Amino acid sequence: MSETETTGSKYTRHSRDDVVGAALALLDGLGLPDLTMRRLAATLDVQPSALYWHFPNKQALLAAVADQIVARARPLPAGVSDWMPTARTEADALRDALLAFRDSAEVVSSTIALGLGSGEAFARLAGALAIGDFEPETARRGASALLHFILGHVSHEQQRMQADSLGVVTRTHSSNPTDAAAGASGREEFDFGVMLLLAGLERQPHSARSLS
Amino acid sequence: MSETETTGSKYTRHSRDDVVGAALALLDGLGLPDLTMRRLAATLDVQPSALYWHFPNKQALLAAVADQIVARARPLPAGVSDWMPTARTEADALRDALLAFRDSAEVVSSTIALGLGSGEAFARLAGALAIGDFEPETARRGASALLHFILGHVSHEQQRMQADSLGVVTRTHSSNPTDAAAGASGREEFDFGVMLLLAGLERQPHSARSLS
DNA sequence: ACCTGAACACCGTTCAAGT
DNA sequence: ACCTGAACACCGTTCAAGT
């Protein structure tokens, strides 16, 4: 959206942030498979090779895009005290941030898997769990489990959204009529998974129980 | 491994299963990024276009590969009665099946996300939960949460294995010394996540409690 | 500091035609 | 039933050179 243009030069020049912004727009508009370096270059009126001044390769670009997406997650409302509602809120904020951009869960997921960035998502969940006084290892593993569930669930949700918009009729697992009837509003299923993990965590030893 | 060869024809001919087998070997040997239609065709001594007689496109091929991987998961030992150890066993069997092939979690994950197959993984987990008398909807969501965690975790594990084998030094989330020191044998972390979900499920209403 | 121009080494997929 | 041959429309990345 905001194009950097320095005075008196021959071409329109772009900053690293311009490139990330354009990539984000392209991702949301066309989806991950159509986010190619060549197409991105075209929307910036630049040769493909120009992108390699800003990023060493496509993965690094995608990592920056993933960071942007996660960074836009709404911050915690001030004055929290209990770990469980805090963790629930962080999980919701993360899901909403992901749902704001098409195919974002896949981008964030692969970026995290490759260890290239977006540690912020993990840090926010771990921070919430730190409020309950779990063993550090327990908090780490809990945050990791939450993150895997969140990314997996939203990824699934986003793929279904895309499939639906294309009018594809893919019969999912279980010919059971229940799951067809259920509707499963996404949100409810998400909350259920988060709740299972938090309920499981609650049974882990805390050094101090919040009962005041 | 087993090549179909019919008598008296000009070329070596292949069955659909031959193609899937070769794809599986290529995946395990070179990894998902190098599993290309052209390379696969080359290992079968065939033109790339020949593959499109067996499969409509690459995604369909990958779905068949994913089904193979999941189908090789060890079956349940006979005579189970409690849902919780059963679910734990299924989760372990699934993880082991995935760890048997490089990059398999990503293949299965994307196949499931696209709704193209491998409903068997979901079905096995759902079947285990069905032993406890949960609401059908609860069992469905529980199995879904388990599957998301399993695929996310193993996917992460496999990416780290590959990164390690390449000698990449990617500092993961949290500069905390604890997670560097922990070692986190994968297996333990996996069991912990599964345990959290099962402990959460245990607190859900069952119609009958197994206490005999 | 940021980009061009040209090239390299690939991709997935289609389709008429062969055996 | 299974494959060839040839083409189409793309990819990500490198690198010397320009401004």
Side-chain angles (χ1 to χ4, degrees):
Chain A
M1 318 297 179
S2 70
E3 230 97 293
T4 304
E5 179 160 1
T6 35
T7 51
S9 77
K10 196 172 173 188
Y11 332 100
T12 310
R13 292 168 111 87
H14 303 281
S15 71
R16 196 189 132 105
D17 281 345
D18 289 337
V19 177
V20 175
L24 214 38
L26 211 49
L27 176 71
D28 198 44
L30 303 180
L32 185 56
D34 286 335
L35 171 47
T36 67
M37 297 300 265
R38 299 182 105 99
R39 224 184 286 254
L40 176 56
T43 74
L44 289 166
D45 276 312
V46 128
Q47 296 296 317
S49 51
L51 300 175
Y52 291 84
W53 190 88
H54 297 282
F55 299 93
N57 51 50
K58 189 180 182 180
Q59 268 301 339
L61 200 224
L62 288 179
V65 168
D67 281 342
Q68 261 292 309
I69 291 166
V70 172
R72 293 189 186 193
R74 93 180 77 86
L76 268 192
V80 283
S81 46
D82 292 346
W83 69 271
M84 221 164 124
T86 305
R88 213 185 282 270
T89 306
E90 288 289 22
D92 280 355
L94 214 44
R95 173 169 177 267
D96 291 344
L98 291 170
L99 287 179
F101 290 94
R102 167 137 62 135
D103 288 349
S104 62
E106 209 180 325
V107 174
V108 174
S109 192
S110 74
T111 294
I112 288 181
L114 295 173
L116 293 178
S118 215
E120 192 183 326
F122 176 87
R124 288 185 62 157
L125 294 167
L129 297 189
I131 298 177
D133 297 281
F134 297 101
E135 298 265 342
E137 190 65 357
T138 303
R140 236 201 76 249
R141 291 171 173 183
S144 169
L146 274 169
L147 192 51
H148 284 137
F149 169 74
I150 292 168
L151 292 172
H153 180 90
V154 177
S155 188
H156 197 149
E157 249 182 304
Q158 288 182 322
Q159 296 277 24
R160 213 170 51 82
M161 287 168 71
Q162 183 170 352
D164 286 357
S165 80
L166 265 70
V168 184
V169 194
T170 25
R171 186 46 66 226
T172 323
H173 38 241
S174 115
S175 49
N176 199 317
T178 33
D179 70 43
S185 74
R187 171 76 207 227
E188 276 180 56
E189 192 161 329
F190 179 80
D191 285 345
F192 181 78
V194 170
M195 185 267 279
L196 285 186
L197 287 164
L198 298 186
L201 274 167
E202 201 178 19
R203 299 184 133 203
Q204 285 301 112
H206 311 219
S207 32
R209 207 54 176 270
S210 62
L211 31 72
S212 78
Chain B
M1 319 297 178
S2 70
E3 230 96 294
T4 305
E5 179 159 3
T6 34
T7 52
S9 75
K10 196 173 174 187
Y11 332 100
T12 310
R13 290 169 113 88
H14 303 280
S15 71
R16 195 190 132 105
D17 281 345
D18 289 336
V19 177
V20 175
L24 214 39
L26 212 48
L27 176 70
D28 198 43
L30 302 179
L32 184 56
D34 286 334
L35 172 47
T36 69
M37 297 300 266
R38 299 181 105 102
R39 225 184 286 252
L40 176 57
T43 74
L44 290 166
D45 276 312
V46 128
Q47 296 296 316
S49 51
L51 300 175
Y52 292 84
W53 190 88
H54 298 282
F55 299 94
N57 51 49
K58 189 180 181 180
Q59 268 302 340
L61 200 225
L62 289 179
V65 168
D67 280 343
Q68 260 293 308
I69 292 166
V70 172
R72 293 188 185 192
R74 95 182 75 87
L76 267 191
V80 284
S81 45
D82 293 345
W83 68 271
M84 222 166 125
T86 305
R88 213 185 284 270
T89 306
E90 288 289 23
D92 281 355
L94 213 45
R95 172 168 178 269
D96 292 344
L98 291 169
L99 286 179
F101 291 94
R102 169 136 63 134
D103 288 348
S104 63
E106 209 181 324
V107 174
V108 173
S109 190
S110 75
T111 294
I112 288 182
L114 296 172
L116 293 179
S118 213
E120 192 183 326
F122 176 87
R124 288 185 62 158
L125 294 167
L129 297 189
I131 298 175
D133 298 281
F134 297 101
E135 298 264 341
E137 190 65 357
T138 301
R140 237 202 73 250
R141 291 172 172 182
S144 169
L146 273 168
L147 191 52
H148 284 138
F149 170 74
I150 292 167
L151 292 173
H153 181 91
V154 178
S155 188
H156 197 150
E157 248 182 305
Q158 287 181 321
Q159 296 278 22
R160 212 170 53 81
M161 287 167 71
Q162 183 170 353
D164 286 357
S165 81
L166 265 72
V168 184
V169 195
T170 24
R171 187 45 66 227
T172 325
H173 39 242
S174 113
S175 50
N176 199 320
T178 33
D179 70 43
S185 73
R187 171 76 207 226
E188 278 180 55
E189 192 161 329
F190 179 81
D191 285 345
F192 181 77
V194 170
M195 186 266 279
L196 284 186
L197 287 163
L198 298 187
L201 273 166
E202 201 178 21
R203 299 185 133 203
Q204 286 300 114
H206 313 220
S207 32
R209 206 57 175 267
S210 63
L211 32 72
S212 75

